[in-house]
mmCIF file of all heavy atoms in Angstrom:
data_model
loop_
_atom_site.group_PDB
_atom_site.id
_atom_site.type_symbol
_atom_site.label_atom_id
_atom_site.label_comp_id
_atom_site.label_asym_id
_atom_site.label_seq_id
_atom_site.Cartn_x
_atom_site.Cartn_y
_atom_site.Cartn_z
ATOM 1 N N GLY A 247 159.086 52.182 160.799
ATOM 2 C CA GLY A 247 159.549 53.123 159.790
ATOM 3 C C GLY A 247 159.015 54.525 159.998
ATOM 4 O O GLY A 247 159.249 55.405 159.182
ATOM 5 N N ASN A 255 164.060 71.984 171.588
ATOM 6 C CA ASN A 255 165.137 72.846 172.068
ATOM 7 C C ASN A 255 166.253 72.970 171.043
ATOM 8 O O ASN A 255 167.419 72.765 171.334
ATOM 9 C CB ASN A 255 165.708 72.297 173.383
ATOM 10 C CG ASN A 255 166.509 73.349 174.129
ATOM 11 O OD1 ASN A 255 166.521 74.507 173.743
ATOM 12 N ND2 ASN A 255 167.170 72.919 175.202
ATOM 13 N N ASP A 257 167.755 75.403 169.676
ATOM 14 C CA ASP A 257 168.785 76.403 169.862
ATOM 15 C C ASP A 257 169.865 75.956 170.850
ATOM 16 O O ASP A 257 170.902 76.590 170.971
ATOM 17 C CB ASP A 257 168.178 77.726 170.360
ATOM 18 C CG ASP A 257 167.268 78.350 169.299
ATOM 19 O OD1 ASP A 257 167.508 78.041 168.117
ATOM 20 O OD2 ASP A 257 166.374 79.110 169.669
ATOM 21 N N PRO A 268 159.907 56.476 170.736
ATOM 22 C CA PRO A 268 158.916 56.304 169.674
ATOM 23 C C PRO A 268 157.681 57.172 169.892
ATOM 24 O O PRO A 268 157.228 57.391 171.013
ATOM 25 C CB PRO A 268 158.562 54.818 169.766
ATOM 26 C CG PRO A 268 159.739 54.192 170.424
ATOM 27 C CD PRO A 268 160.260 55.209 171.383
ATOM 28 N N ASP A 270 153.555 58.102 168.693
ATOM 29 C CA ASP A 270 152.385 57.445 168.126
ATOM 30 C C ASP A 270 151.982 58.151 166.834
ATOM 31 O O ASP A 270 152.600 59.134 166.408
ATOM 32 C CB ASP A 270 151.239 57.424 169.141
ATOM 33 C CG ASP A 270 150.904 58.834 169.628
ATOM 34 O OD1 ASP A 270 151.191 59.816 168.899
ATOM 35 O OD2 ASP A 270 150.355 58.955 170.740
ATOM 36 N N PHE A 277 154.407 66.223 163.317
ATOM 37 C CA PHE A 277 155.842 66.483 163.186
ATOM 38 C C PHE A 277 156.141 67.049 161.812
ATOM 39 O O PHE A 277 155.720 66.506 160.799
ATOM 40 C CB PHE A 277 156.623 65.177 163.397
ATOM 41 C CG PHE A 277 158.094 65.353 163.267
ATOM 42 C CD1 PHE A 277 158.814 66.028 164.239
ATOM 43 C CD2 PHE A 277 158.779 64.852 162.167
ATOM 44 C CE1 PHE A 277 160.187 66.185 164.127
ATOM 45 C CE2 PHE A 277 160.141 65.006 162.044
ATOM 46 C CZ PHE A 277 160.851 65.675 163.036
ATOM 47 N N SER A 309 188.625 67.535 170.434
ATOM 48 C CA SER A 309 189.873 67.084 169.825
ATOM 49 C C SER A 309 190.386 65.873 170.604
ATOM 50 O O SER A 309 189.905 65.590 171.701
ATOM 51 C CB SER A 309 190.918 68.200 169.835
ATOM 52 O OG SER A 309 190.440 69.354 169.176
ATOM 53 N N ALA A 313 197.917 57.909 171.638
ATOM 54 C CA ALA A 313 199.295 57.415 171.743
ATOM 55 C C ALA A 313 199.328 56.129 172.540
ATOM 56 O O ALA A 313 198.415 55.849 173.328
ATOM 57 C CB ALA A 313 200.193 58.462 172.403
ATOM 58 N N THR A 323 199.918 66.985 177.611
ATOM 59 C CA THR A 323 198.686 67.757 177.766
ATOM 60 C C THR A 323 198.723 68.645 179.013
ATOM 61 O O THR A 323 198.125 69.723 179.023
ATOM 62 C CB THR A 323 197.462 66.828 177.818
ATOM 63 O OG1 THR A 323 197.660 65.803 178.803
ATOM 64 C CG2 THR A 323 197.230 66.167 176.467
ATOM 65 N N PRO A 341 199.151 80.008 172.639
ATOM 66 C CA PRO A 341 197.702 79.974 172.864
ATOM 67 C C PRO A 341 197.058 81.333 172.670
ATOM 68 O O PRO A 341 197.718 82.368 172.769
ATOM 69 C CB PRO A 341 197.577 79.510 174.316
ATOM 70 C CG PRO A 341 198.854 79.944 174.951
ATOM 71 C CD PRO A 341 199.912 79.859 173.893
ATOM 72 N N MET A 368 208.366 74.674 187.393
ATOM 73 C CA MET A 368 209.784 74.859 187.665
ATOM 74 C C MET A 368 210.607 74.868 186.384
ATOM 75 O O MET A 368 211.488 75.726 186.197
ATOM 76 C CB MET A 368 210.287 73.745 188.602
ATOM 77 C CG MET A 368 209.708 73.785 190.007
ATOM 78 S SD MET A 368 210.176 72.320 190.986
ATOM 79 C CE MET A 368 211.965 72.440 190.992
ATOM 80 N N PHE A 370 209.814 75.540 183.256
ATOM 81 C CA PHE A 370 209.597 76.668 182.347
ATOM 82 C C PHE A 370 209.600 78.018 183.068
ATOM 83 O O PHE A 370 209.245 79.030 182.464
ATOM 84 C CB PHE A 370 208.275 76.472 181.601
ATOM 85 C CG PHE A 370 208.307 75.367 180.588
ATOM 86 C CD1 PHE A 370 207.754 74.126 180.885
ATOM 87 C CD2 PHE A 370 208.901 75.552 179.356
ATOM 88 C CE1 PHE A 370 207.782 73.102 179.955
ATOM 89 C CE2 PHE A 370 208.936 74.531 178.416
ATOM 90 C CZ PHE A 370 208.381 73.297 178.714
ATOM 91 N N PRO A 406 172.382 63.513 184.731
ATOM 92 C CA PRO A 406 172.780 64.350 185.873
ATOM 93 C C PRO A 406 174.267 64.685 185.882
ATOM 94 O O PRO A 406 174.663 65.796 186.251
ATOM 95 C CB PRO A 406 172.380 63.498 187.080
ATOM 96 C CG PRO A 406 171.286 62.609 186.577
ATOM 97 C CD PRO A 406 171.666 62.298 185.163
ATOM 98 N N PRO A 435 181.331 49.622 175.907
ATOM 99 C CA PRO A 435 182.303 48.826 175.135
ATOM 100 C C PRO A 435 183.036 49.680 174.107
ATOM 101 O O PRO A 435 182.421 50.293 173.242
ATOM 102 C CB PRO A 435 181.414 47.774 174.441
ATOM 103 C CG PRO A 435 180.116 47.795 175.159
ATOM 104 C CD PRO A 435 179.943 49.177 175.686
ATOM 105 N N ASP A 438 182.465 48.988 170.355
ATOM 106 C CA ASP A 438 181.127 49.247 169.820
ATOM 107 C C ASP A 438 181.112 50.658 169.232
ATOM 108 O O ASP A 438 181.117 51.653 169.957
ATOM 109 C CB ASP A 438 180.096 49.110 170.941
ATOM 110 C CG ASP A 438 178.661 49.216 170.441
ATOM 111 O OD1 ASP A 438 178.419 49.986 169.496
ATOM 112 O OD2 ASP A 438 177.797 48.538 171.014
ATOM 113 N N ILE A 460 187.221 70.851 174.106
ATOM 114 C CA ILE A 460 187.420 69.655 174.929
ATOM 115 C C ILE A 460 188.459 68.759 174.276
ATOM 116 O O ILE A 460 188.393 68.477 173.084
ATOM 117 C CB ILE A 460 186.098 68.884 175.132
ATOM 118 C CG1 ILE A 460 185.104 69.735 175.937
ATOM 119 C CG2 ILE A 460 186.352 67.555 175.849
ATOM 120 C CD1 ILE A 460 183.770 69.069 176.198
ATOM 121 N N ILE A 476 195.861 57.793 162.937
ATOM 122 C CA ILE A 476 194.481 58.069 163.323
ATOM 123 C C ILE A 476 193.668 56.791 163.465
ATOM 124 O O ILE A 476 192.725 56.720 164.257
ATOM 125 C CB ILE A 476 193.801 59.013 162.307
ATOM 126 C CG1 ILE A 476 192.423 59.442 162.794
ATOM 127 C CG2 ILE A 476 193.735 58.372 160.939
ATOM 128 C CD1 ILE A 476 192.421 60.200 164.085
ATOM 129 N N GLY A 487 186.500 59.163 164.275
ATOM 130 C CA GLY A 487 185.603 59.807 163.327
ATOM 131 C C GLY A 487 184.806 60.948 163.917
ATOM 132 O O GLY A 487 184.413 61.867 163.199
ATOM 133 N N ALA A 503 217.013 57.592 165.029
ATOM 134 C CA ALA A 503 218.003 57.696 166.102
ATOM 135 C C ALA A 503 219.402 57.415 165.572
ATOM 136 O O ALA A 503 220.370 58.111 165.922
ATOM 137 C CB ALA A 503 217.654 56.733 167.229
ATOM 138 N N LYS A 504 219.509 56.436 164.698
ATOM 139 C CA LYS A 504 220.810 56.097 164.123
ATOM 140 C C LYS A 504 221.339 57.252 163.277
ATOM 141 O O LYS A 504 222.512 57.612 163.338
ATOM 142 C CB LYS A 504 220.677 54.826 163.275
ATOM 143 C CG LYS A 504 221.994 54.310 162.712
ATOM 144 C CD LYS A 504 221.775 53.088 161.832
ATOM 145 C CE LYS A 504 221.243 51.916 162.637
ATOM 146 N NZ LYS A 504 221.138 50.685 161.799
ATOM 147 N N PRO A 509 221.679 57.580 171.116
ATOM 148 C CA PRO A 509 221.757 56.200 171.609
ATOM 149 C C PRO A 509 220.381 55.531 171.609
ATOM 150 O O PRO A 509 219.374 56.178 171.934
ATOM 151 C CB PRO A 509 222.307 56.354 173.024
ATOM 152 C CG PRO A 509 223.041 57.666 173.008
ATOM 153 C CD PRO A 509 222.270 58.539 172.068
ATOM 154 N N VAL A 538 212.316 65.238 179.629
ATOM 155 C CA VAL A 538 213.487 65.482 180.474
ATOM 156 C C VAL A 538 213.073 65.344 181.940
ATOM 157 O O VAL A 538 211.895 65.476 182.282
ATOM 158 C CB VAL A 538 214.077 66.887 180.217
ATOM 159 C CG1 VAL A 538 214.572 67.008 178.787
ATOM 160 C CG2 VAL A 538 213.055 67.973 180.519
ATOM 161 N N GLU A 558 209.612 69.153 176.782
ATOM 162 C CA GLU A 558 210.108 70.428 176.292
ATOM 163 C C GLU A 558 210.238 70.348 174.771
ATOM 164 O O GLU A 558 210.440 69.272 174.206
ATOM 165 C CB GLU A 558 211.460 70.781 176.925
ATOM 166 C CG GLU A 558 212.590 69.842 176.541
ATOM 167 C CD GLU A 558 213.933 70.272 177.147
ATOM 168 O OE1 GLU A 558 213.925 71.059 178.104
ATOM 169 O OE2 GLU A 558 214.981 69.802 176.647
ATOM 170 N N THR A 561 213.873 70.200 168.340
ATOM 171 C CA THR A 561 213.927 70.202 166.879
ATOM 172 C C THR A 561 215.055 69.289 166.429
ATOM 173 O O THR A 561 216.211 69.469 166.852
ATOM 174 C CB THR A 561 214.170 71.620 166.333
ATOM 175 O OG1 THR A 561 213.112 72.482 166.778
ATOM 176 C CG2 THR A 561 214.205 71.610 164.810
ATOM 177 N N THR A 593 232.682 47.055 148.879
ATOM 178 C CA THR A 593 233.970 47.309 149.526
ATOM 179 C C THR A 593 234.527 48.656 149.097
ATOM 180 O O THR A 593 235.137 49.380 149.908
ATOM 181 C CB THR A 593 234.969 46.195 149.153
ATOM 182 O OG1 THR A 593 234.428 44.926 149.532
ATOM 183 C CG2 THR A 593 236.301 46.414 149.866
ATOM 184 N N ALA A 596 231.770 54.670 147.573
ATOM 185 C CA ALA A 596 232.227 56.052 147.465
ATOM 186 C C ALA A 596 232.179 56.771 148.810
ATOM 187 O O ALA A 596 232.974 57.700 149.068
ATOM 188 C CB ALA A 596 231.388 56.796 146.438
ATOM 189 N N GLY A 613 228.288 58.170 161.678
ATOM 190 C CA GLY A 613 228.954 58.722 160.503
ATOM 191 C C GLY A 613 228.483 58.136 159.198
ATOM 192 O O GLY A 613 228.314 58.853 158.198
ATOM 193 N N GLU A 628 222.483 67.272 141.797
ATOM 194 C CA GLU A 628 223.328 66.990 140.628
ATOM 195 C C GLU A 628 224.767 67.463 140.798
ATOM 196 O O GLU A 628 225.464 67.697 139.815
ATOM 197 C CB GLU A 628 222.712 67.589 139.350
ATOM 198 C CG GLU A 628 221.349 67.006 139.029
ATOM 199 C CD GLU A 628 220.765 67.528 137.717
ATOM 200 O OE1 GLU A 628 221.336 68.503 137.168
ATOM 201 O OE2 GLU A 628 219.768 66.965 137.248
#
Side-chain angles (χ1 to χ4, degrees):
N255 197 8
D257 294 335
D270 56 24
F277 179 71
S309 303
T323 52
M368 293 172 60
F370 289 101
D438 186 325
I460 295 180
I476 187 61
K504 185 183 295 185
V538 297
E558 66 177 18
T561 301
T593 303
E628 299 184 349

